[in-house]
Amino acid sequence: MMSVGGFAHRFTQIDDLTRPDHWYLAEDDLCYFMGEYTARQGYAYSDTNNPILNFKKPVDRRGRPEWRHKENAIRQAAEAFRRSLNPKALESWTFVPMPPSKMRRDPLHDDRLTRMLHSIRPRPPLDIRELIVQTESTDAVHNLEQRPRPDEIAALYNINESLSVPGPVIIVVVDDLLTTGAHFRAAHTILSARFPTAKVMGLFIARRVPNTANLGEIDL
């Protein structure tokens, strides 16, 4: 499989084999990913770990030499999406970036997903709408001792009604990393309630996979 900066050039669907790793996903959820990320293993662990960690680099690193790695990861992800998606689909899909943990007016608000989507094809522009608005800032999920449930996340979401017309037909929720599936389920719930006739699916740069054991390090 060819790749750009560690991001694959095709999407793989979450199926019966991989769905248990993302236990909040429903059986009929349509979710697709490009790479596999292993948590707590650092940049060098895999081809996907490096670009994902750079893509998620926090905003307080802006202005430092390392910031260029985040910018590169955003460009690489956009290129991977451009090569992986059917040009005809781009004409009819409404792309909705998953809102970050920080509200827009928060100085740590990170618009990486919106920027990535706009970089896929600047002209003619895609239908990209920040339909989901987070009503208060929260800690990043990876910093929490207990991960929130979909209903807890959905309680913090509102629909940006100023972007609701024309009504979308196919909504594509885009996020960088699929972990438990809680954020996707929350987004699916609020979008389906507002646009009941629209089809909702998810695209992820990568999915989190369980840690693997190195048998060479196990004392048998």
Side-chain angles (χ1 to χ4, degrees), residues 1-198:
M1 182 194 312
M2 297 179 63
S3 65
V4 174
F7 295 129
H9 279 178
R10 64 178 174 82
F11 284 95
T12 300
Q13 184 175 354
I14 295 292
D15 56 17
D16 291 342
L17 183 64
T18 53
R19 193 176 301 109
D21 295 334
H22 317 288
W23 52 88
Y24 282 120
L25 292 184
E27 186 174 351
D28 58 350
D29 282 337
L30 289 175
C31 291
Y32 302 82
F33 66 96
M34 286 195 293
E36 294 188 330
Y37 165 83
T38 306
R40 297 179 295 278
Q41 293 298 329
Y43 290 84
Y45 184 77
S46 70
D47 290 340
T48 303
N49 269 40
N50 186 296
I52 283 293
L53 289 171
N54 281 317
F55 192 88
K56 295 172 73 69
K57 195 179 293 291
V59 172
D60 59 9
R61 297 294 192 271
R62 190 190 304 274
R64 302 185 184 188
E66 65 192 82
W67 188 254
R68 63 186 175 87
H69 298 301
K70 183 183 182 77
E71 297 295 330
N72 286 337
I74 291 173
R75 287 192 293 269
Q76 291 164 356
E79 173 66 14
F81 267 59
R82 181 165 54 250
R83 295 190 181 210
S84 303
L85 296 174
N86 186 325
K88 291 184 178 180
L90 297 179
E91 304 301 326
S92 58
W93 289 359
T94 298
F95 292 90
V96 177
M98 193 75 76
S101 59
K102 301 297 186 288
M103 298 171 60
R104 179 174 292 279
R105 64 173 178 265
D106 192 302
L108 294 180
H109 175 85
D110 191 345
D111 62 351
R112 61 184 183 266
L113 287 168
T114 301
R115 292 172 55 207
M116 186 276 286
L117 287 170
H118 281 290
S119 297
I120 293 175
R121 193 188 70 186
R123 294 287 184 274
L126 303 179
D127 183 9
I128 302 167
R129 308 189 211 176
E130 294 183 68
L131 279 171
I132 306 175
V133 178
Q134 183 145 318
T135 58
E136 62 181 67
S137 292
T138 61
D139 289 333
V141 170
H142 62 267
N143 291 329
L144 300 175
E145 292 185 7
Q146 184 173 350
R147 289 179 175 269
R149 301 186 309 270
D151 60 308
E152 294 173 324
I153 298 170
L156 299 175
Y157 286 169
N158 280 338
I159 293 292
N160 184 346
E161 291 294 343
S162 68
L163 301 178
S164 63
V165 178
V169 176
I170 300 176
I171 300 175
V172 182
V173 178
V174 179
D175 205 353
D176 44 28
L177 190 61
L178 175 63
T179 53
T180 66
H183 283 81
F184 174 76
R185 284 306 312 162
H188 192 295
T189 296
I190 191 171
L191 289 167
S192 295
R194 177 59 182 84
F195 307 103
T197 63

